[in-house]
Amino acid sequence: DTGEENLDHFTSIEDGAARILSKVGWGLYLRGIVHLSDESAKALSQYAGDELSLTGLRKLSKVAAKHLCQVASDLELDFDAIPKSAAAILRKHPSFADKD
């Protein structure tokens, strides 16, 4: 057990896999994922590990962004890569409260 789950080599995620991964209790690195469905985002909203990194996201709906805003852990995202409407929602997450 390394205390992290680096799954950067995956470019997509099934909703069921997102539900399973939402239960890990350490850092979860999904930086290769380019699109997150609303259902996968809803599942990952239950994630409460150390950090959830989704810096590879390029496609994200406003609904999915609202789900990700509920993640209790630190979020890592690339705001320049996701749609502006989703970025506006996600900037409200506590991870980004002190950043402009």
Side-chain angles (χ1 to χ4, degrees):
D1 184 352
T2 62
E4 68 179 47
E5 200 61 46
N6 186 336
L7 303 172
D8 289 346
H9 54 286
F10 289 103
T11 57
S12 63
I13 187 169
E14 297 286 329
D15 298 341
R19 282 190 289 279
I20 292 166
L21 290 172
S22 71
K23 295 175 179 22
V24 301
W26 50 81
L28 183 57
Y29 303 96
L30 300 169
R31 294 177 278 231
I33 304 295
V34 294
H35 175 260
L36 199 59
S37 73
D38 294 349
E39 280 302 310
S40 289
K42 183 177 180 180
L44 289 175
S45 74
Q46 302 303 307
Y47 175 74
D50 296 331
E51 176 181 35
L52 176 58
S53 181
L54 295 164
T55 56
L57 280 178
R58 301 295 178 260
K59 296 180 184 177
L60 191 69
S61 73
K62 291 192 285 187
V63 170
K66 288 177 185 177
H67 287 309
L68 289 179
C69 258
Q70 297 173 5
V71 172
S73 65
D74 286 337
L75 274 178
E76 185 179 47
L77 300 163
D78 180 354
F79 285 117
D80 294 329
I82 60 175
K84 290 181 181 179
S85 57
I89 293 166
L90 284 161
R91 287 186 191 279
K92 297 174 185 171
H93 188 275
S95 294
F96 312 110
D98 295 334
K99 300 174 185 171
D100 291 306

